[in-house]
Short mmCIF file of all heavy atoms in Angstrom, two decimals:
data_model
loop_
_atom_site.label_atom_id
_atom_site.label_comp_id
_atom_site.label_asym_id
_atom_site.label_seq_id
_atom_site.Cartn_x
_atom_site.Cartn_y
_atom_site.Cartn_z
N MET A 117 121.39 118.23 103.02
CA MET A 117 122.01 116.91 103.50
C MET A 117 121.85 115.88 102.48
O MET A 117 120.71 115.60 102.05
CB MET A 117 121.29 116.52 104.78
CG MET A 117 121.46 115.06 105.15
SD MET A 117 120.60 114.65 106.68
CE MET A 117 119.21 113.84 106.02
N LEU A 118 122.95 115.47 102.01
CA LEU A 118 122.96 114.38 101.02
C LEU A 118 123.01 112.96 101.73
O LEU A 118 123.59 112.89 102.84
CB LEU A 118 124.14 114.46 100.03
CG LEU A 118 124.18 115.71 99.19
CD1 LEU A 118 125.49 115.78 98.41
CD2 LEU A 118 122.96 115.80 98.32
N TYR A 119 122.39 112.02 101.12
CA TYR A 119 122.57 110.59 101.63
C TYR A 119 123.65 109.90 100.86
O TYR A 119 123.55 109.82 99.58
CB TYR A 119 121.15 109.99 101.41
CG TYR A 119 119.99 110.57 102.16
CD1 TYR A 119 118.90 110.98 101.57
CD2 TYR A 119 120.09 110.46 103.58
CE1 TYR A 119 117.84 111.48 102.29
CE2 TYR A 119 119.00 110.99 104.33
CZ TYR A 119 118.00 111.44 103.68
OH TYR A 119 116.83 111.97 104.41
N LYS A 120 124.63 109.71 101.54
CA LYS A 120 125.90 108.95 100.99
C LYS A 120 125.61 107.50 100.72
O LYS A 120 126.23 106.95 99.89
CB LYS A 120 127.04 109.11 101.90
CG LYS A 120 127.49 110.67 101.98
CD LYS A 120 128.64 110.86 102.85
CE LYS A 120 129.11 112.32 102.82
NZ LYS A 120 130.22 112.63 103.55
N SER A 121 124.83 106.87 101.58
CA SER A 121 124.45 105.42 101.35
C SER A 121 123.02 105.14 101.71
O SER A 121 122.41 106.08 102.37
CB SER A 121 125.49 104.53 102.28
OG SER A 121 125.10 104.60 103.57
N ASN A 122 122.58 103.93 101.37
CA ASN A 122 121.24 103.67 101.64
C ASN A 122 121.00 103.48 103.30
O ASN A 122 119.85 103.81 103.77
CB ASN A 122 120.81 102.39 101.06
CG ASN A 122 120.61 102.44 99.60
OD1 ASN A 122 120.70 103.58 99.03
ND2 ASN A 122 120.36 101.36 98.95
N GLN A 123 122.05 103.33 103.94
CA GLN A 123 121.92 103.27 105.45
C GLN A 123 121.67 104.56 106.06
O GLN A 123 121.15 104.66 107.17
CB GLN A 123 123.26 102.61 106.10
CG GLN A 123 123.32 101.14 105.80
CD GLN A 123 122.19 100.30 106.38
OE1 GLN A 123 121.74 100.65 107.51
NE2 GLN A 123 121.69 99.32 105.64
N ASP A 124 121.95 105.59 105.29
CA ASP A 124 121.72 106.89 105.81
C ASP A 124 120.18 107.37 105.48
O ASP A 124 119.76 108.36 106.05
CB ASP A 124 122.49 107.98 105.08
CG ASP A 124 124.07 107.71 105.41
OD1 ASP A 124 124.39 107.24 106.42
OD2 ASP A 124 124.84 108.18 104.49
N LEU A 125 119.53 106.70 104.81
CA LEU A 125 118.12 107.00 104.44
C LEU A 125 117.25 106.88 105.75
O LEU A 125 117.52 106.04 106.61
CB LEU A 125 117.54 106.12 103.33
CG LEU A 125 118.16 106.26 102.00
CD1 LEU A 125 117.62 105.08 101.07
CD2 LEU A 125 117.74 107.57 101.37
N PRO A 126 116.13 107.58 105.80
CA PRO A 126 115.22 107.39 106.95
C PRO A 126 114.78 105.98 107.06
O PRO A 126 114.58 105.23 106.09
CB PRO A 126 113.95 108.33 106.57
CG PRO A 126 114.56 109.36 105.57
CD PRO A 126 115.68 108.59 104.81
N LEU A 127 114.54 105.44 108.31
CA LEU A 127 114.23 104.14 108.54
C LEU A 127 112.93 103.68 107.86
O LEU A 127 112.91 102.65 107.26
CB LEU A 127 113.88 103.99 110.20
CG LEU A 127 113.56 102.56 110.52
CD1 LEU A 127 114.69 101.59 110.15
CD2 LEU A 127 113.36 102.63 111.96
N ASP A 128 111.92 104.57 107.74
CA ASP A 128 110.68 104.13 107.05
C ASP A 128 110.95 103.84 105.48
O ASP A 128 110.27 103.02 104.90
CB ASP A 128 109.57 105.08 107.19
CG ASP A 128 109.93 106.50 106.59
OD1 ASP A 128 111.11 106.91 106.80
OD2 ASP A 128 108.92 107.13 106.07
N ILE A 129 111.90 104.59 104.95
CA ILE A 129 112.30 104.33 103.44
C ILE A 129 112.92 102.97 103.45
O ILE A 129 112.69 102.21 102.51
CB ILE A 129 113.10 105.48 102.93
CG1 ILE A 129 112.40 106.83 103.09
CG2 ILE A 129 113.65 105.16 101.64
CD1 ILE A 129 111.11 106.86 102.29
N ARG A 130 113.91 102.76 104.36
CA ARG A 130 114.59 101.44 104.22
C ARG A 130 113.77 100.28 104.53
O ARG A 130 114.00 99.21 103.92
CB ARG A 130 115.78 101.49 105.31
CG ARG A 130 116.91 102.48 104.95
CD ARG A 130 118.11 102.44 105.84
NE ARG A 130 117.68 103.12 107.06
CZ ARG A 130 118.03 102.78 108.23
NH1 ARG A 130 118.69 101.64 108.51
NH2 ARG A 130 117.79 103.43 109.26
N ILE A 131 112.74 100.39 105.38
CA ILE A 131 111.89 99.32 105.66
C ILE A 131 110.96 99.05 104.47
O ILE A 131 110.67 97.91 104.04
CB ILE A 131 111.07 99.51 106.96
CG1 ILE A 131 112.02 99.45 108.19
CG2 ILE A 131 109.91 98.53 107.07
CD1 ILE A 131 111.39 99.96 109.41
N ARG A 132 110.42 100.15 103.90
CA ARG A 132 109.32 100.05 102.89
C ARG A 132 109.85 99.74 101.54
O ARG A 132 109.09 99.02 100.76
CB ARG A 132 108.65 101.35 102.86
CG ARG A 132 107.27 101.32 102.45
CD ARG A 132 106.50 102.65 102.74
NE ARG A 132 107.14 103.81 102.86
CZ ARG A 132 107.32 104.75 101.83
NH1 ARG A 132 106.74 104.67 100.78
NH2 ARG A 132 108.03 105.88 102.05
N LEU A 133 111.00 100.15 101.13
CA LEU A 133 111.54 100.01 99.77
C LEU A 133 112.56 98.91 99.63
O LEU A 133 113.32 98.70 100.51
CB LEU A 133 112.15 101.29 99.27
CG LEU A 133 111.08 102.52 99.28
CD1 LEU A 133 111.92 103.78 98.77
CD2 LEU A 133 109.85 102.22 98.36
N SER A 134 112.62 98.27 98.43
CA SER A 134 113.60 97.30 98.08
C SER A 134 115.02 98.02 97.99
O SER A 134 114.97 99.26 97.89
CB SER A 134 113.28 96.64 96.78
OG SER A 134 113.41 97.61 95.72
N GLU A 135 116.01 97.31 97.98
CA GLU A 135 117.33 97.97 97.76
C GLU A 135 117.46 98.70 96.53
O GLU A 135 117.95 99.85 96.44
CB GLU A 135 118.44 96.79 97.79
CG GLU A 135 119.79 97.25 97.91
CD GLU A 135 120.16 97.83 99.32
OE1 GLU A 135 119.50 97.36 100.21
OE2 GLU A 135 121.10 98.65 99.36
N ALA A 136 116.92 98.23 95.39
CA ALA A 136 117.01 98.99 94.19
C ALA A 136 116.14 100.33 94.24
O ALA A 136 116.66 101.30 93.70
CB ALA A 136 116.48 98.09 92.96
N SER A 137 115.03 100.26 94.83
CA SER A 137 114.19 101.43 95.00
C SER A 137 114.85 102.43 95.94
O SER A 137 114.79 103.62 95.87
CB SER A 137 112.83 101.03 95.48
OG SER A 137 112.01 100.31 94.59
N GLN A 138 115.61 101.96 96.92
CA GLN A 138 116.30 102.77 97.87
C GLN A 138 117.42 103.52 97.11
O GLN A 138 117.62 104.68 97.33
CB GLN A 138 117.04 102.03 99.05
CG GLN A 138 115.93 101.49 100.01
CD GLN A 138 116.58 100.64 101.15
OE1 GLN A 138 117.77 101.02 101.63
NE2 GLN A 138 116.08 99.57 101.46
N GLU A 139 118.11 102.75 96.18
CA GLU A 139 119.10 103.53 95.28
C GLU A 139 118.51 104.60 94.55
O GLU A 139 119.12 105.73 94.45
CB GLU A 139 119.82 102.43 94.44
CG GLU A 139 120.56 101.41 95.16
CD GLU A 139 121.91 102.07 95.66
OE1 GLU A 139 122.48 103.02 95.09
OE2 GLU A 139 122.41 101.48 96.69
N LEU A 140 117.38 104.38 93.86
CA LEU A 140 116.69 105.33 93.22
C LEU A 140 116.21 106.46 93.94
O LEU A 140 116.39 107.58 93.55
CB LEU A 140 115.52 104.75 92.35
CG LEU A 140 114.50 105.62 91.62
CD1 LEU A 140 115.33 106.41 90.51
CD2 LEU A 140 113.37 104.98 91.11
N TYR A 141 115.68 106.15 95.10
CA TYR A 141 115.22 107.22 96.02
C TYR A 141 116.41 108.08 96.41
O TYR A 141 116.22 109.35 96.37
CB TYR A 141 114.52 106.64 97.27
CG TYR A 141 113.95 107.60 98.23
CD1 TYR A 141 112.52 107.86 98.24
CD2 TYR A 141 114.66 108.32 99.15
CE1 TYR A 141 112.00 108.73 98.98
CE2 TYR A 141 114.14 109.22 99.95
CZ TYR A 141 112.70 109.44 99.96
OH TYR A 141 112.09 110.41 100.77
N ARG A 142 117.41 107.60 96.81
CA ARG A 142 118.59 108.30 97.27
C ARG A 142 119.19 109.18 96.11
O ARG A 142 119.52 110.31 96.37
CB ARG A 142 119.68 107.35 97.76
CG ARG A 142 120.93 107.98 98.41
CD ARG A 142 121.71 106.98 99.08
NE ARG A 142 122.25 105.91 98.43
CZ ARG A 142 123.30 105.91 97.55
NH1 ARG A 142 124.04 106.82 97.51
NH2 ARG A 142 123.66 104.82 96.98
N ALA A 143 119.34 108.60 94.90
CA ALA A 143 119.84 109.33 93.77
C ALA A 143 118.80 110.50 93.48
O ALA A 143 119.33 111.63 93.29
CB ALA A 143 120.03 108.43 92.47
N ALA A 144 117.48 110.25 93.45
CA ALA A 144 116.55 111.35 93.21
C ALA A 144 116.60 112.26 94.26
O ALA A 144 116.60 113.60 94.05
CB ALA A 144 115.17 110.78 92.98
N PHE A 145 116.69 111.96 95.59
CA PHE A 145 116.71 112.93 96.59
C PHE A 145 117.96 113.92 96.48
O PHE A 145 117.78 115.06 96.59
CB PHE A 145 116.69 112.26 97.99
CG PHE A 145 116.77 113.09 99.11
CD1 PHE A 145 115.60 113.73 99.76
CD2 PHE A 145 118.00 113.54 99.64
CE1 PHE A 145 115.74 114.62 100.76
CE2 PHE A 145 118.15 114.50 100.64
CZ PHE A 145 117.01 115.04 101.22
N ASN A 146 119.08 113.24 96.34
CA ASN A 146 120.33 113.94 96.31
C ASN A 146 120.33 114.99 95.15
O ASN A 146 120.79 116.06 95.32
CB ASN A 146 121.55 112.98 96.18
CG ASN A 146 121.81 112.30 97.45
OD1 ASN A 146 121.30 112.66 98.47
ND2 ASN A 146 122.64 111.27 97.42
N SER A 147 119.81 114.54 93.98
CA SER A 147 119.68 115.46 92.87
C SER A 147 118.78 116.62 93.12
O SER A 147 119.08 117.76 92.92
CB SER A 147 119.30 114.66 91.66
OG SER A 147 119.11 115.58 90.53
N ALA A 148 117.62 116.26 93.81
CA ALA A 148 116.56 117.27 93.98
C ALA A 148 117.06 118.37 95.16
O ALA A 148 116.71 119.47 95.06
CB ALA A 148 115.26 116.64 94.35
N ILE A 149 117.78 117.83 96.15
CA ILE A 149 118.19 118.73 97.24
C ILE A 149 119.17 119.67 96.57
O ILE A 149 119.19 120.85 97.02
CB ILE A 149 118.73 117.89 98.44
CG1 ILE A 149 118.89 118.86 99.66
CG2 ILE A 149 120.10 117.46 98.17
CD1 ILE A 149 117.49 119.12 100.30
N ASP A 150 119.96 119.25 95.68
CA ASP A 150 120.96 120.18 95.04
C ASP A 150 120.25 121.26 94.16
O ASP A 150 120.54 122.37 94.16
CB ASP A 150 121.97 119.39 94.10
CG ASP A 150 123.10 118.70 94.94
OD1 ASP A 150 123.27 119.23 96.00
OD2 ASP A 150 123.70 117.84 94.26
N TRP A 151 119.04 120.73 93.54
CA TRP A 151 118.42 121.56 92.57
C TRP A 151 117.53 122.66 93.36
O TRP A 151 117.55 123.75 93.09
CB TRP A 151 117.56 120.81 91.68
CG TRP A 151 116.83 121.43 90.67
CD1 TRP A 151 115.47 121.91 90.72
CD2 TRP A 151 117.33 122.05 89.45
NE1 TRP A 151 115.18 122.61 89.60
CE2 TRP A 151 116.27 122.70 88.77
CE3 TRP A 151 118.56 121.99 88.82
CZ2 TRP A 151 116.52 123.39 87.58
CZ3 TRP A 151 118.80 122.55 87.57
CH2 TRP A 151 117.69 123.26 87.00
N TYR A 152 116.68 121.97 94.27
CA TYR A 152 115.76 122.86 95.09
C TYR A 152 116.30 123.50 96.38
O TYR A 152 115.83 124.42 96.83
CB TYR A 152 114.49 122.12 95.32
CG TYR A 152 113.85 121.72 94.06
CD1 TYR A 152 113.75 120.36 93.65
CD2 TYR A 152 113.15 122.55 93.36
CE1 TYR A 152 113.09 119.90 92.63
CE2 TYR A 152 112.40 122.19 92.11
CZ TYR A 152 112.43 120.85 91.77
OH TYR A 152 111.83 120.42 90.70
N GLY A 153 117.27 122.77 97.00
CA GLY A 153 117.71 123.20 98.23
C GLY A 153 116.79 123.08 99.41
O GLY A 153 116.98 123.77 100.41
N GLU A 154 115.78 122.23 99.29
CA GLU A 154 114.70 122.11 100.24
C GLU A 154 114.42 120.72 100.43
O GLU A 154 113.96 119.93 99.52
CB GLU A 154 113.51 122.77 99.74
CG GLU A 154 112.36 122.87 100.64
CD GLU A 154 111.22 123.67 99.94
OE1 GLU A 154 111.45 124.65 99.15
OE2 GLU A 154 110.04 123.21 100.17
N ALA A 155 114.63 120.09 101.69
CA ALA A 155 114.45 118.71 101.99
C ALA A 155 112.99 118.25 101.74
O ALA A 155 112.91 117.17 101.17
CB ALA A 155 114.86 118.37 103.41
N ALA A 156 112.10 118.99 102.13
CA ALA A 156 110.60 118.53 101.94
C ALA A 156 110.34 118.38 100.39
O ALA A 156 109.71 117.32 100.04
CB ALA A 156 109.68 119.44 102.57
N LYS A 157 110.79 119.17 99.66
CA LYS A 157 110.57 119.10 98.20
C LYS A 157 111.40 117.90 97.63
O LYS A 157 110.81 117.20 96.79
CB LYS A 157 110.97 120.51 97.50
CG LYS A 157 110.89 120.47 96.10
CD LYS A 157 109.46 120.57 95.63
CE LYS A 157 109.44 120.86 94.05
NZ LYS A 157 108.20 121.15 93.65
N ALA A 158 112.54 117.78 98.12
CA ALA A 158 113.43 116.74 97.56
C ALA A 158 112.85 115.32 97.99
O ALA A 158 112.91 114.37 97.15
CB ALA A 158 114.86 116.73 98.17
N HIS A 159 112.18 115.23 99.04
CA HIS A 159 111.61 113.87 99.51
C HIS A 159 110.41 113.70 98.57
O HIS A 159 110.14 112.55 98.12
CB HIS A 159 111.12 113.99 100.88
CG HIS A 159 112.34 113.63 101.84
ND1 HIS A 159 112.99 112.46 102.04
CD2 HIS A 159 112.81 114.47 102.79
CE1 HIS A 159 113.91 112.56 102.92
NE2 HIS A 159 113.78 113.83 103.42
N LYS A 160 109.67 114.66 98.21
CA LYS A 160 108.46 114.47 97.37
C LYS A 160 108.96 114.13 95.99
O LYS A 160 108.30 113.19 95.36
CB LYS A 160 107.72 115.80 97.25
CG LYS A 160 106.89 116.09 98.47
CD LYS A 160 106.17 117.31 98.35
CE LYS A 160 105.44 117.70 99.65
NZ LYS A 160 104.62 118.90 99.51
N VAL A 161 110.01 114.57 95.47
CA VAL A 161 110.60 114.29 94.18
C VAL A 161 110.99 112.92 94.20
O VAL A 161 110.85 112.11 93.37
CB VAL A 161 111.76 115.19 93.78
CG1 VAL A 161 112.55 114.74 92.64
CG2 VAL A 161 111.24 116.62 93.59
N ALA A 162 111.75 112.50 95.22
CA ALA A 162 112.33 111.09 95.34
C ALA A 162 111.21 110.05 95.45
O ALA A 162 111.25 109.10 94.80
CB ALA A 162 113.11 111.05 96.63
N ALA A 163 110.11 110.41 96.15
CA ALA A 163 109.05 109.51 96.41
C ALA A 163 108.38 109.32 94.99
O ALA A 163 107.87 108.24 94.57
CB ALA A 163 108.05 109.87 97.45
N SER A 164 108.17 110.34 94.24
CA SER A 164 107.53 110.47 92.81
C SER A 164 108.40 109.58 91.99
O SER A 164 107.74 108.84 91.14
CB SER A 164 107.46 111.87 92.42
OG SER A 164 106.83 111.88 91.21
N ALA A 165 109.69 109.75 92.07
CA ALA A 165 110.61 108.94 91.15
C ALA A 165 110.42 107.42 91.39
O ALA A 165 110.32 106.64 90.45
CB ALA A 165 111.98 109.32 91.28
N VAL A 166 110.24 107.02 92.67
CA VAL A 166 110.13 105.61 92.92
C VAL A 166 108.63 105.13 92.50
O VAL A 166 108.53 104.12 91.93
CB VAL A 166 110.20 105.36 94.56
CG1 VAL A 166 109.86 103.92 94.85
CG2 VAL A 166 111.78 105.55 94.89
N LYS A 167 107.74 105.97 92.75
CA LYS A 167 106.37 105.65 92.30
C LYS A 167 106.30 105.38 90.72
O LYS A 167 105.67 104.50 90.19
CB LYS A 167 105.48 106.72 92.76
CG LYS A 167 104.00 106.44 92.40
CD LYS A 167 103.09 107.56 93.05
CE LYS A 167 101.68 107.11 92.73
NZ LYS A 167 100.68 108.23 93.32
N MET A 168 106.91 106.36 89.99
CA MET A 168 106.98 106.26 88.56
C MET A 168 107.73 105.04 88.18
O MET A 168 107.20 104.33 87.26
CB MET A 168 107.60 107.55 87.93
CG MET A 168 107.57 107.57 86.48
SD MET A 168 108.50 108.93 85.79
CE MET A 168 107.57 110.24 86.42
N GLN A 169 108.91 104.78 88.62
CA GLN A 169 109.59 103.43 88.29
C GLN A 169 108.65 102.31 88.55
O GLN A 169 108.64 101.38 87.80
CB GLN A 169 110.89 103.42 89.08
CG GLN A 169 111.70 102.27 88.76
CD GLN A 169 112.24 102.29 87.30
OE1 GLN A 169 112.48 103.32 86.74
NE2 GLN A 169 112.41 101.19 86.71
N SER A 170 107.99 102.21 89.72
CA SER A 170 107.16 101.05 90.10
C SER A 170 106.09 100.93 88.87
O SER A 170 105.88 99.78 88.59
CB SER A 170 106.67 101.24 91.47
OG SER A 170 105.76 100.25 91.69
N ALA A 171 105.49 102.04 88.59
CA ALA A 171 104.46 101.95 87.55
C ALA A 171 104.97 101.50 86.33
O ALA A 171 104.33 100.74 85.54
CB ALA A 171 103.77 103.34 87.39
N MET A 172 106.18 101.94 85.90
CA MET A 172 106.72 101.53 84.63
C MET A 172 107.07 100.05 84.64
O MET A 172 106.90 99.40 83.71
CB MET A 172 108.03 102.38 84.28
CG MET A 172 107.68 103.85 83.92
SD MET A 172 109.12 104.85 83.82
CE MET A 172 110.18 104.02 82.72
N GLU A 173 107.55 99.61 85.74
CA GLU A 173 107.81 98.06 85.92
C GLU A 173 106.58 97.31 85.68
O GLU A 173 106.50 96.20 85.22
CB GLU A 173 108.57 97.86 87.15
CG GLU A 173 109.95 98.29 87.17
CD GLU A 173 110.66 98.25 88.49
OE1 GLU A 173 110.08 97.87 89.45
OE2 GLU A 173 111.86 98.51 88.52
N ARG A 174 105.43 97.74 86.45
CA ARG A 174 104.20 96.99 86.37
C ARG A 174 103.76 97.03 84.89
O ARG A 174 103.22 96.00 84.44
CB ARG A 174 103.18 97.71 87.23
CG ARG A 174 103.29 97.24 88.76
CD ARG A 174 102.15 97.57 89.54
NE ARG A 174 101.68 98.99 89.44
CZ ARG A 174 102.24 99.94 90.18
NH1 ARG A 174 103.07 99.74 91.14
NH2 ARG A 174 101.76 101.15 89.96
N HIS A 175 103.81 98.03 84.24
CA HIS A 175 103.33 98.21 82.83
C HIS A 175 104.09 97.33 81.99
O HIS A 175 103.56 96.67 81.05
CB HIS A 175 103.41 99.72 82.40
CG HIS A 175 102.93 99.84 80.92
ND1 HIS A 175 101.56 99.69 80.63
CD2 HIS A 175 103.57 100.04 79.78
CE1 HIS A 175 101.42 99.93 79.31
NE2 HIS A 175 102.56 100.21 78.83
N ALA A 176 105.40 97.28 82.16
CA ALA A 176 106.27 96.33 81.32
C ALA A 176 105.96 94.86 81.50
O ALA A 176 106.22 94.10 80.64
CB ALA A 176 107.74 96.57 81.73
N LEU A 177 105.39 94.44 82.60
CA LEU A 177 104.99 93.18 82.94
C LEU A 177 103.71 92.65 82.11
O LEU A 177 103.57 91.46 81.95
CB LEU A 177 104.82 92.83 84.40
CG LEU A 177 106.11 93.07 85.25
CD1 LEU A 177 105.84 92.84 86.69
CD2 LEU A 177 107.26 92.02 84.88
N VAL A 178 102.94 93.62 81.75
CA VAL A 178 101.76 93.23 81.08
C VAL A 178 101.92 92.90 79.74
O VAL A 178 102.74 93.06 78.95
CB VAL A 178 100.79 94.47 81.17
CG1 VAL A 178 99.53 94.23 80.43
CG2 VAL A 178 100.54 94.90 82.61
#
């Protein structure tokens, strides 16, 4: 199942993440679901992508 828009994302993702992070999560999830074919794995990949982006942004501010 691909997420066509951020409104299609699970509620906890929409509440917890900024709009930009939702875009990243959705893109990473959609790519991972195509690659792995498994939703649980795709959610882990997407969460990891958001976490990595957040860490990179914090590092750039230093």
Side-chain angles (χ1 to χ4, degrees):
M117 158 181 103
L118 297 177
Y119 293 118
K120 293 181 181 182
S121 74
N122 289 353
Q123 288 299 318
D124 297 332
L125 291 170
L127 181 60
D128 64 320
I129 299 298
R130 287 184 285 140
I131 290 171
R132 204 166 27 101
L133 299 179
S134 68
E135 191 72 26
S137 292
Q138 288 177 43
E139 290 288 332
L140 174 60
Y141 186 97
R142 185 167 56 87
F145 178 90
N146 287 346
S147 179
I149 198 73
D150 281 343
W151 185 262
Y152 297 108
E154 184 181 324
K157 178 79 170 181
H159 281 294
K160 287 180 183 179
V161 168
S164 182
V166 170
K167 185 176 180 180
M168 183 183 299
Q169 180 65 30
S170 178
M172 289 172 54
E173 288 173 357
R174 281 194 306 273
H175 181 69
L177 294 175
V178 174

